[in-house]
Amino acid sequence: MIMKLDDSKNKMTLQELIDTKNFINQLSVDCAIFGFHDNSLKILLLKYHELNLWAIPGGFIFEDEHLDDAAHRILYERTHLEDVYLQQFYTFGGIDRTEKNNPHRQLLANKGIEIDKDHWINKRFVTVGYYALIDYTLSHTFPDAFNETCAWFDVHDLPEMAFDHKEIIEKGLEHLRKTLDYDIVGSN
């Protein structure tokens, strides 16, 4: 797949991101980016600005963007890695999945950004989960408008997670274990 990778969203301010109107409403992508090196399995997490909440790299899908391209763009924005095998593994659609530990609402309130309760960022989101397995020593991480830092964590020692991201990590890890030999080794 040849696609133009663009990290211009990382240069957007929080206000510009909230004001964006060209996202598909209520649909997102979350990438469980696993890193393996020296017999250690890690997961890439992002820490929200001024909050003690962490999340897996995720983002919104532009109206003119293919779902798979959105997943590759998000991976590129966070690691600057290209041509990495990404596998769609599950769709998360729990009715209250974005109510638990919702950092978007907290972050906006902390920054004094007021939005209507019907704004797209406040609505329920269904997310499509993807996973990747990379050598984490080869990647570089880049925080963005929502996140102050990115870091690798052992998959068995996670900090407090936003939304349902712990469930996404567990489901991604389960899928990774089931398909490791067949999918990834055969594709890379």
Side-chain angles (χ1 to χ4, degrees):
M1 167 187 351
I2 296 174
M3 59 181 270
K4 181 183 174 201
L5 293 174
D6 177 11
D7 68 346
S8 60
K9 189 172 141 257
N10 275 357
K11 297 172 182 69
M12 294 174 78
T13 66
L14 183 57
Q15 186 68 57
E16 289 170 335
L17 185 62
I18 291 302
D19 290 343
T20 299
K21 304 264 189 244
N22 60 342
F23 292 126
I24 297 174
N25 286 330
Q26 297 174 270
L27 184 64
S28 62
V29 168
D30 282 301
C31 295
I33 302 173
F34 296 100
F36 189 77
H37 184 76
D38 288 339
N39 295 321
S40 179
L41 186 61
K42 308 270 188 186
I43 184 83
L44 180 65
L45 299 179
L46 312 175
K47 183 182 180 295
Y48 284 91
H49 286 288
E50 302 170 9
L51 300 176
N52 193 28
L53 286 176
W54 292 79
I56 59 176
F60 309 113
I61 304 152
F62 291 103
E63 290 176 352
D64 63 349
E65 185 176 41
H66 189 281
L67 185 62
D68 290 340
D69 292 344
H72 281 275
R73 173 181 50 82
I74 290 164
L75 179 65
Y76 179 74
E77 287 172 355
R78 303 307 190 258
T79 65
H80 277 209
L81 289 175
E82 300 180 68
D83 300 323
V84 171
Y85 178 79
L86 272 177
Q87 175 69 47
Q88 187 182 125
F89 69 93
Y90 197 80
T91 302
F92 298 84
I95 293 170
D96 62 349
R97 68 165 296 273
T98 52
E99 292 302 312
K100 181 183 177 190
N101 289 337
N102 186 317
H104 297 153
R105 292 185 192 132
Q106 294 174 41
L107 183 58
L108 292 170
N110 290 353
K111 297 290 184 187
I113 299 173
E114 294 184 21
I115 56 173
D116 187 67
K117 70 177 184 166
D118 293 329
H119 188 278
W120 63 267
I121 197 78
N122 284 329
K123 295 185 178 182
R124 171 187 175 203
F125 273 80
V126 171
T127 197
V128 179
Y130 283 79
Y131 74 85
L133 179 63
I134 64 173
D135 179 343
Y136 67 83
T137 64
L138 302 178
S139 71
H140 305 283
T141 55
F142 301 90
D144 61 15
F146 278 116
N147 309 106
E148 69 184 38
T149 191
C150 308
W152 290 98
F153 285 83
D154 185 283
V155 295
H156 302 294
D157 189 21
L158 300 174
E160 178 144 9
M161 302 297 296
F163 305 120
D164 60 348
H165 287 199
K166 183 176 181 187
E167 177 188 349
I168 295 173
I169 292 168
E170 290 168 355
K171 202 60 111 168
L173 189 55
E174 176 185 316
H175 191 80
L176 176 66
R177 287 180 175 141
K178 287 180 184 176
T179 62
L180 185 63
D181 292 335
Y182 179 77
D183 283 345
I184 294 179
V185 173
S187 295
N188 288 332

